[in-house]
Amino acid sequence: MKKDKVTVPLIPLRDIIIFPYMVVPLFVGREKSIKALETAMLSDKYILLAAQKKAKTEDPAPEDIYEVGTLGTILQLLRLPDGTVKVLVEGKKRALIKEFTSEESCFVVVAEEIEETIDEAIETEALLRSVIKSFETYVKYNKRIPPEMIISVTSIEDPGRLADTIASHLTAKLDDKQALLSISCPTKRLERLYSLMESEIEILEVEQKIRQRVKKQMEKTQKEYYLSEQMKAIQKELGEKDEFKSEIQEFEEKLKTKKLSKEAARKTKQEIKKLKLMSPMSAEATVSRNYIDWMTSLPWGFFTDEKKDITEAERVLEEDHYGLKNVKERIVEYLAVRGLVEEMKGPILCLVGPPGVGKTSLAKSIARATGRNFVRLSLGGVKDEAEIRGHRRTYIGSMPGKIIQSLKKAGSNNPVFLLDEVDKMSHDFRGDPASALLEVLDPEQNHTFNDHYLDSDYDLSSIMFITTANSVQGIPYPLLDRMELIRIPGYTELEKLQIVVRFLFPKQLKMHGLTEKNLRLNNATILAVIRKYTKEAGVRNLERQIAAICRKAAREVLKKGREAEIHMTGKLLAKYLGVPQYRYGTVDEIDETGVATGLAWTEAGGELLGIEVALVPGKGKLIITGKLGDVMQESAQAAMTYVRSRASELGLEKDFYQKLDIHIHVPEGAIPKDGPSAGITMATALASALLQIPVRKSVAMTGEITLRGKVLPIGGLKEKLLAAHRAGISTVLLPKENEKDLKEIPSQILKKVATVLVEHMDEVLVKALCVKGSEDIFKGAKPGADDKDAPSVVADTVNAQVRH
């Protein structure tokens, strides 16, 4: 039998297979497809509907389209405002694409109708019944197919039409549906359809089981909640406890034992009342429960018994720390007043000193001496105001600030509260924690400290606040004004020796499992460690070196036996700690021209500050290097102006500066330096370079210079003299106005370092430069001496040396 061939336009379909006898609306948007519809409308409305292999292909080629499609007719066509076309098509017959005759404006193909061939009637009838039965089961599980569809399918007698009708309603993959469309024999098509439906039914049965299981679980949860609510209602009627009544009773009992303020007690009672009316499962109940827990856990009105025995307090402070006279006196004074006055606001002390001098450990000793609890809060890096004041309860996970949290940890309302590293705070868009501390550290305000979380006033006035800092420069002035400043300078060599003997060495022996018999350190060895292996104001690095000795000694003891004895000598020290890291007691071997030694203060203690001046031919340019701050650069300019103003007295030409470029350099250029105290040192180095007269190697100096040559006072005197002593400097030139500060300098330092007080720069030059005829003045310099005739002498002595 001859098969019919037709030439028709083709529409490639995406994600859909159209079977014969199937009526479906399509939305057409591609230009070729719209043109194909227009071509079909102009003829007999026949069109071939074939699926493309990949839905994402926007402009398919002939090889991208399946060979078997459905020949259909256009029932209705509607153009939409957005340019697309809505078309209603009906599938008629299967068709095989034989060739593409046109691909330009639209696809036009020659298609051959596929005739259906029926196999044995008995087998087909059996398959019909099985497919209809399977479809009924499928509809039962798939709620998207209306039940009426079963009646419609049952009435179809043609096996091919039945297979196509069911296939159009089947949820299957595109490839599986295309395979069904490609099968011409109805019997084989029914067989393949039956297999697909059985697979889908198995999947739908598993889905239904999962849904039923989830539904059952949800019903169980709802049932438990319903019964729980019923139980609560019954218990309420019977007057029995509800499930969290005991917790609320516990809160109420704790509230009775606490001495809350009236405002705090009222707010806590209100929260407990609200909690009773809430569901325990609600989020708001958790917020209220946490708030009540905090309010009833704080040490409201609870104070530890304070020791008032001054003698015992002095003993404890001396037992824990060597030196630190000013701090110990202040604590004893507080205890003395506390013994006379019952109600007294806690002091607010600020311990300022270099690292490693014992500021933090001193606070612990103060707590032990006064019998108070101790709590520490580190403020280093804190930049959020809420860290101090807390978050409001409206925020999820909100908590009180660190002050209130620390009080809960302390367990009493009068602890020693250490605010460590108060100079290391910063601030950002979230607020300034230093400003929040203003209320905490103000004795006139901190009795009504208001934490954002508690939203009630809390009395902090009984707390002994102690803050620590390495420098006051990082502390805002309003905050600094609220604290009593106690400076802790660096330790002298003798103080370090005593600290090692009394505290550090016994501590390290115990930590390393050694006895005094295993390792012996004499004073000379300890001094060698201090001088040659450390260079610091505190003792932190010194403790590390002692620990290093103990570790190596422990290794030797383990090798030789527990009874081994190690006597630390100079040679053994070099073996244990290596080559000495610092020079001690050695100054420059020769007096140099244009090089002067100054004294500087740093957060780590005092340091020597070398200043060099070099002269090169030029046009009067002043070069200043060494990473100097603005103040120090201005000091260099002031020193230069002083030398120019004294040119005639110094025997220099008036226009000497116009022929030279002068370079002032401060070594260790990677370290920032600033401050005015190097003024006289720079002036001395300048005068030395211009006059070609060396500066005495054993002399160091510190002081600010004015344009008229006056020497102004400086700070950090003790640290600077300690640095001079460490370096082996024999004489230090100081401003006259710093004479009052010499009382704080240990006598053993003043015995080894002669201090010469000066008022004018001319005196400095006489004592610092190696000028013939000034040795007598220099040798006669005594601590506190005031050479009033120096300004008149300097011109004669210097000019004589220049002429010579």
Side-chain angles (χ1 to χ4, degrees):
M1 186 174 69
K2 187 179 179 182
K3 297 181 181 178
D4 296 329
K5 290 185 179 180
V6 292
T7 303
V8 290
L10 176 140
I11 295 181
L13 305 176
R14 290 195 278 199
D15 288 328
I16 186 170
I17 301 290
I18 295 177
F19 288 88
Y21 314 106
M22 182 177 173
V23 178
V24 63
L26 299 174
F27 288 89
V28 182
R30 291 186 283 193
E31 289 184 11
K32 280 189 176 183
S33 299
I34 293 172
K35 189 68 177 176
L37 288 172
E38 290 173 352
T39 305
M41 291 297 291
L42 293 173
S43 57
D44 54 1
K45 297 185 180 181
Y46 269 83
I47 194 161
L48 187 64
L49 305 164
Q52 60 187 58
K53 295 175 182 177
K54 292 183 180 179
K56 292 181 180 180
T57 306
E58 188 64 30
D59 188 12
E63 59 269 16
D64 297 326
I65 301 170
Y66 285 110
E67 292 180 350
V68 177
T70 302
L71 194 62
T73 59
I74 299 172
L75 302 178
Q76 189 178 3
L77 188 140
L78 178 64
R79 293 183 183 277
L80 299 177
D82 60 351
T84 60
V85 175
K86 181 180 180 183
V87 62
L88 188 68
V89 296
E90 181 183 10
K92 293 294 185 182
K93 291 184 178 182
R94 285 174 172 74
L96 177 67
I97 298 171
K98 301 300 287 184
E99 65 175 316
F100 284 77
T101 60
S102 175
E103 298 177 22
E104 295 176 1
S105 59
C106 67
F107 288 115
V108 178
V109 298
V110 175
E112 185 181 83
E113 293 181 5
I114 299 174
E115 295 293 332
E116 295 185 351
T117 56
I118 301 174
D119 291 341
E120 293 183 12
I122 297 173
E123 185 181 352
T124 304
E125 183 64 24
L127 276 169
L128 272 172
R129 293 180 183 180
S130 299
V131 167
I132 291 171
K133 188 176 180 181
S134 181
F135 183 70
E136 288 175 357
T137 307
Y138 181 81
V139 171
K140 186 176 69 174
Y141 286 117
N142 194 337
K143 302 300 180 184
R144 286 175 289 187
I145 303 174
E148 296 82 15
M149 196 65 202
I150 298 172
I151 301 169
S152 177
V153 166
T154 309
S155 62
I156 299 172
E157 295 180 356
D158 181 23
R161 184 171 183 177
L162 177 73
D164 291 338
T165 304
I166 292 175
S168 64
H169 291 88
L170 190 65
T171 304
K173 295 178 181 178
L174 188 75
D175 293 340
D176 292 332
K177 284 192 172 186
Q178 180 65 38
L180 281 173
L181 185 66
S182 302
I183 299 172
S184 60
C185 177
T187 306
K188 291 180 181 179
R189 200 185 313 147
L190 284 170
E191 189 175 345
R192 180 68 182 271
L193 180 65
Y194 180 76
S195 174
L196 282 174
M197 276 199 297
E198 287 298 313
S199 298
E200 283 296 314
I201 287 167
E202 284 183 8
I203 294 170
L204 290 171
E205 282 176 345
V206 173
E207 285 181 356
Q208 190 178 43
K209 285 179 183 178
I210 293 170
R211 280 198 299 270
Q212 287 176 348
R213 193 160 63 241
V214 172
K215 185 180 178 183
K216 188 176 180 182
Q217 184 65 34
M218 289 176 65
E219 286 175 351
K220 183 181 177 183
T221 306
Q222 290 174 344
K223 180 182 177 183
E224 287 175 355
Y225 178 77
Y226 177 74
L227 291 173
S228 175
E229 291 297 315
Q230 277 190 327
M231 184 67 73
K232 288 178 191 175
I234 294 167
Q235 288 175 345
K236 189 174 182 181
E237 289 296 320
L238 294 173
E240 295 176 0
K241 295 179 181 179
D242 58 29
E243 67 179 48
F244 68 114
K245 183 79 173 285
S246 59
E247 186 180 13
I248 293 175
Q249 281 186 343
E250 185 182 341
F251 284 146
E252 289 175 334
E253 289 171 5
K254 285 174 73 175
L255 187 60
K256 290 176 184 177
T257 61
K258 298 287 182 179
K259 297 178 182 179
L260 277 73
S261 64
K262 290 182 180 180
E263 180 191 13
R266 178 178 57 79
K267 288 190 175 183
T268 308
K269 287 175 182 177
Q270 284 179 348
E271 285 295 324
I272 291 174
K273 188 177 179 181
K274 281 167 60 180
L275 185 61
K276 288 179 180 178
L277 302 175
M278 291 179 193
S279 166
M281 305 296 291
S282 68
E284 195 174 349
T286 305
V287 173
S288 290
R289 192 184 289 113
N290 287 342
Y291 177 77
I292 297 165
D293 184 41
W294 271 105
M295 293 294 277
T296 54
S297 299
L298 291 172
W300 299 88
F302 176 75
F303 300 90
T304 53
D305 294 331
E306 194 171 12
K307 294 178 183 177
K308 298 178 182 178
D309 188 344
I310 295 175
T311 307
E312 175 63 16
E314 287 179 337
R315 186 194 66 78
V316 171
L317 291 171
E318 288 295 333
E319 184 180 297
D320 289 348
H321 288 83
Y322 181 81
L324 306 177
K325 182 181 177 183
N326 291 343
V327 190
K328 293 176 180 177
E329 283 184 357
R330 181 64 184 85
I331 300 305
V332 173
E333 287 167 4
Y334 166 75
L335 292 176
V337 177
R338 194 77 176 84
L340 300 174
V341 181
E342 281 298 321
E343 291 187 9
M344 180 184 174
K345 292 176 181 176
I348 298 170
L349 309 178
C350 181
L351 308 180
V352 180
V357 294
K359 299 183 294 296
T360 304
S361 60
L362 182 61
K364 293 179 182 178
S365 295
I366 292 171
R368 196 161 76 90
T370 56
R372 298 181 178 218
N373 294 336
F374 176 76
V375 65
R376 174 182 171 270
L377 172 61
S378 177
L379 296 174
V382 172
K383 54 185 175 183
D384 188 356
E385 179 246 0
E387 293 278 347
I388 307 298
R389 287 190 175 277
H391 293 88
R392 302 187 190 279
R393 281 190 289 156
T394 50
Y395 297 106
I396 296 172
S398 57
M399 291 181 71
K402 295 291 186 183
I403 300 294
I404 297 297
Q405 289 183 42
S406 299
L407 280 177
K408 181 183 177 182
K409 191 191 299 181
S412 65
N413 215 33
N414 64 334
V416 170
F417 201 129
L418 176 64
L419 297 171
D420 217 358
E421 309 292 357
V422 74
D423 58 330
K424 307 296 190 302
M425 288 186 294
S426 59
H427 60 87
D428 60 7
F429 64 93
R430 289 170 290 190
D432 184 4
S435 300
L437 277 178
L438 293 177
E439 183 184 2
V440 176
L441 299 180
D442 192 336
E444 301 300 323
Q445 297 179 33
N446 63 8
H447 63 283
T448 55
F449 172 68
N450 193 287
D451 186 275
H452 288 158
Y453 182 84
L454 301 183
D455 198 23
S456 297
D457 291 343
Y458 196 96
D459 187 2
L460 305 178
S461 60
S462 300
I463 299 171
M464 180 185 283
F465 283 106
I466 298 176
T467 65
T468 69
N470 295 129
S471 170
V472 296
Q473 294 173 357
I475 307 173
Y477 179 75
L479 184 60
L480 189 64
D481 187 53
R482 284 163 167 78
M483 300 183 289
E484 183 179 340
L485 208 64
I486 300 177
R487 294 190 179 273
I488 303 179
Y491 294 114
T492 64
E493 276 188 359
L494 294 178
E495 287 173 335
K496 289 182 180 180
L497 176 63
Q498 292 298 322
I499 290 169
V500 172
V501 172
R502 297 187 187 187
F503 305 106
L504 301 184
F505 186 50
K507 174 186 171 184
Q508 292 300 326
L509 284 177
K510 185 178 179 181
M511 286 178 64
H512 291 84
L514 300 172
T515 63
E516 292 182 2
K517 186 179 178 182
N518 293 138
L519 178 62
R520 294 182 182 178
L521 283 178
N522 56 34
N523 290 355
T525 305
I526 296 171
L527 282 172
V529 175
I530 294 169
R531 292 171 175 175
K532 297 180 180 180
Y533 294 93
T534 66
K535 191 177 182 182
E536 58 180 343
V539 293
R540 193 167 285 154
N541 195 39
L542 176 58
E543 185 174 8
R544 291 194 192 102
Q545 299 296 342
I546 299 297
I549 292 171
C550 290
R551 285 196 303 272
K552 296 187 185 327
R555 183 179 176 183
E556 293 293 326
V557 168
L558 206 60
K559 286 181 178 179
K560 297 177 181 178
R562 295 293 301 177
E563 300 302 318
E565 295 184 14
I566 299 170
H567 297 271
M568 192 57 59
T569 60
K571 289 183 179 178
L572 198 57
L573 187 65
K575 179 184 175 183
Y576 277 20
L577 298 182
V579 179
Q581 299 173 17
Y582 304 101
R583 290 187 306 163
Y584 175 80
T586 58
V587 292
D588 293 334
E589 295 180 359
I590 57 171
D591 300 330
E592 292 189 63
T593 301
V595 178
T597 304
L599 297 171
W601 179 92
T602 68
E603 291 184 7
E607 293 286 346
L608 292 188
L609 189 71
I611 293 179
E612 301 174 349
V613 174
L615 307 176
V616 292
K619 297 182 179 180
K621 189 177 180 182
L622 178 62
I623 304 166
I624 305 170
T625 57
K627 204 170 185 180
L628 309 185
D630 293 340
V631 176
M632 203 164 181
Q633 290 188 38
E634 289 171 2
S635 293
Q637 292 167 356
M640 183 63 192
T641 303
Y642 160 76
V643 173
R644 286 177 58 186
S645 69
R646 304 290 286 175
S648 59
E649 287 85 348
L650 294 172
L652 298 171
E653 296 179 12
K654 288 188 177 181
D655 60 346
F656 73 90
Y657 58 90
Q658 296 180 356
K659 303 173 185 177
L660 299 170
D661 282 349
I662 300 174
H663 188 162
I664 301 176
H665 177 67
V666 183
E668 298 185 28
I671 302 172
K673 310 167 194 74
D674 206 358
S677 64
I680 66 171
T681 316
M682 290 181 173
T684 302
L686 275 167
S688 170
L690 290 165
L691 297 172
Q692 290 299 299
I693 300 175
V695 180
R696 298 180 189 276
K697 61 183 180 295
S698 59
V699 174
M701 61 199 76
T702 179
E704 181 179 353
I705 188 174
T706 69
L707 296 178
R708 291 178 174 81
K710 291 185 178 179
V711 181
L712 301 184
I714 46 83
L717 182 62
K718 182 177 180 181
E719 288 84 353
K720 291 178 178 180
L721 286 176
L722 288 175
H725 177 252
R726 283 199 303 267
I729 298 293
S730 60
T731 305
V732 176
L733 308 182
L734 304 173
K736 173 72 174 175
E737 292 184 42
N738 282 109
E739 185 176 9
K740 60 184 185 300
D741 300 321
L742 291 173
K743 296 176 182 178
E744 298 180 5
I745 309 302
S747 58
Q748 62 265 31
I749 298 296
L750 293 177
K751 287 178 182 177
K752 295 185 178 181
V753 179
T755 56
V756 180
L757 302 174
V758 294
E759 291 182 290
H760 197 275
M761 188 61 212
D762 291 350
E763 300 174 63
V764 177
L765 293 179
V766 170
K767 295 172 173 58
L769 298 179
C770 297
V771 181
K772 291 183 179 179
S774 66
E775 278 80 358
D776 296 335
I777 299 173
F778 184 74
K779 288 179 181 177
K782 295 179 181 178
D786 181 15
D787 298 310
K788 294 180 179 179
D789 296 330
S792 60
V793 173
V794 69
D796 298 334
T797 54
V798 170
N799 283 327
Q801 177 68 12
V802 171
R803 287 192 299 271
H804 177 75

